[in-house]
Amino acid sequence: MKCIHCEAEIESDDNFCPKCGHWTPHGYDFLKDQTNIEMIAHGESIKQSNRLVLLMSLFVIGCLTFTIMMFIRGESLFLPFSYLKKQWNNYMYGYNTSAIKTDNKYDKIEINTYEDAISFIKKDFQKQTFICREDNELFKIEDELEKNYQIPNVVFCDMPYEEASKIKKVIDRMYFLFPNIEGALTNITITNASHEYIARFQPMYQFVNIEEDITKYNKVNKTQILLNSYYFLNEEMLDNSIQSTVGENWYVEDATWESSIAHEIGHYISFVLLLKENKLANITLVNSSNYQSITNVLNSFEKGNYQQDILNTALNNYNTRYNTKLDLTEFALTISRYASEKDDNGNLIYDEIIAEAIHDYYLHDDNMQSSSAEIIKIIKEMLK
């Protein structure tokens, strides 16, 4: 049988010619039948359409459900995923790690005031803390430290409550022993640092608009104390003495994991002294008018010249008071081995001597080493 239009071979039951597409006599008869027309109009094509409508409806319902759940539960909706990530990290590294990122950086952010800078630092942490284990007692400790000592952010995320309580006691006592050190610290935060340190004072972490021109964008720095999750989130580490990690007589006598934070606050106190000397309250907001002053302070802190002046005065007072002739290295060794540590060039690290003297004062009060006492007298006078 052939198509009457193109004479191509067709089957007797073809409705359309496979070559030219024109309908065949069979197709003509099929389409003339009203019953067949209704079948086409209301049959498979409608079923396909209905299926599409159903899929679209399910998609819309799913989106609405997710939106409602987000409204009700907020970011906690993602907590199961955060928990699984923590467990995976524990499996990968063999110990608990922190979910908090302390090394975020941002560019092209409009920051006009100190309050803007502090608000942005808070925001960076607040958008992360939803992944921390919910512990109202732990939150209370963080809140009290923030309010009592003007520290914008304290984040102990997932730290055992007992350990956080010990750290709070250290911080409380340090601020009691050294009044007038508030206002320069932006955060005390748990962080991941493998085995690098137990705790660390970081005078400046460049946080906002680092790559931008200072004449166009103000910059924001964090001045922070970081607590290593390797130690403070793993109770099996804290069950061991600190000497098992740092060695006997490294820190001052009676040192503990928590008291090492007093040493780091000692670095912070030393930094505050330099800020006061340069009539700066903090280095958080950097603009074109204070940029050079802040740069000078940071350079001075790193070089240690003003710390050396403090120590030379303390050494002279000590030698006069006790009729001795110690040099600075011998003077430092009376405090701890860490105090006498030297850098790669063989020079004493002056700020470590001051921090260890403060550590000694924290642990032993008036029973501290006489060398530490000479340093503390000068620091307290400078903080008035």
Side-chain angles (χ1 to χ4, degrees), residues 132-144:
C132 303
R133 183 185 71 250
E134 189 169 343
D135 187 334
N136 290 332
E137 292 301 313
L138 187 65
F139 297 159
K140 183 178 178 182
I141 288 177
E142 295 171 341
D143 186 60
E144 286 179 359

Side-chain angles (χ1 to χ4, degrees), residues 8 16 37 41 60 71 151 172 209 224 233 283 307 336 340 343:
F16 300 95
I37 296 295
V60 171
F71 181 77
I151 306 171
D172 285 339
N209 296 335
Q224 54 190 355
L233 293 190
I283 62 165
Q307 296 102 315
S336 72
S340 63
D343 62 22

